[in-house]
Amino acid sequence: MQTLDQSKIYYRRLTVLDVITFMMIIGCLFFTKGYLISLLLIVVYPFSHSKVLVSETRANNDKIWVRKMDWDCYRKDHRIGLFSQYNSQVTSHINQVNL
């Protein structure tokens, strides 16, 4: 298992499982009472991971798997929001340097 270098900027990458789950959530909404399954997936899926795929902002080809608890600590230390963790932090980092 690899660890995160605190001096580098990382962001979370989408995996195939993330995309399939998102499609299942949308697809279940078209069925009768499918909203219950969609709601269950929305609640359970974020807690079902033990590892997440992350990448450095400069080297998009270098993807590493890290423990979810390490990623959560990294996000908290670097003030990366829950919804912005999938965005590359290059632009926000450049804006912070220029200010």
Side-chain angles (χ1 to χ4, degrees):
M1 183 79 57
Q2 297 177 339
T3 59
L4 296 171
D5 183 2
Q6 296 295 324
S7 64
K8 296 181 180 178
I9 299 173
Y10 296 96
Y11 70 102
R12 188 168 170 179
R13 302 292 299 247
L14 285 174
T15 61
V16 175
L17 185 59
D18 293 334
V19 173
I20 290 172
T21 304
F22 181 70
M23 290 174 29
M24 285 176 56
I25 290 170
I26 299 299
C28 287
L29 293 176
F30 292 108
F31 295 103
T32 306
K33 300 201 181 191
Y35 65 92
L36 294 174
I37 296 172
S38 294
L39 184 63
L40 181 67
L41 283 171
I42 290 170
V43 170
V44 172
Y45 185 70
F47 300 107
S48 66
H49 298 283
S50 62
K51 294 186 287 184
V52 294
L53 185 64
V54 298
S55 176
E56 256 188 89
T57 54
R58 288 183 225 111
N60 289 334
N61 294 331
D62 296 336
K63 301 173 190 173
I64 58 173
W65 288 97
V66 295
R67 294 184 311 176
K68 186 169 185 323
M69 57 193 281
D70 292 338
W71 174 248
D72 290 339
C73 289
Y74 177 85
R75 272 192 329 108
K76 184 178 177 183
D77 292 343
H78 289 82
R79 295 184 186 105
I80 300 172
L82 183 64
F83 297 110
S84 63
Q85 68 181 336
Y86 291 99
N87 296 336
S88 174
Q89 301 297 318
V90 173
T91 56
S92 64
H93 180 66
I94 290 172
N95 289 338
Q96 291 173 357
V97 170
N98 290 335
L99 295 176

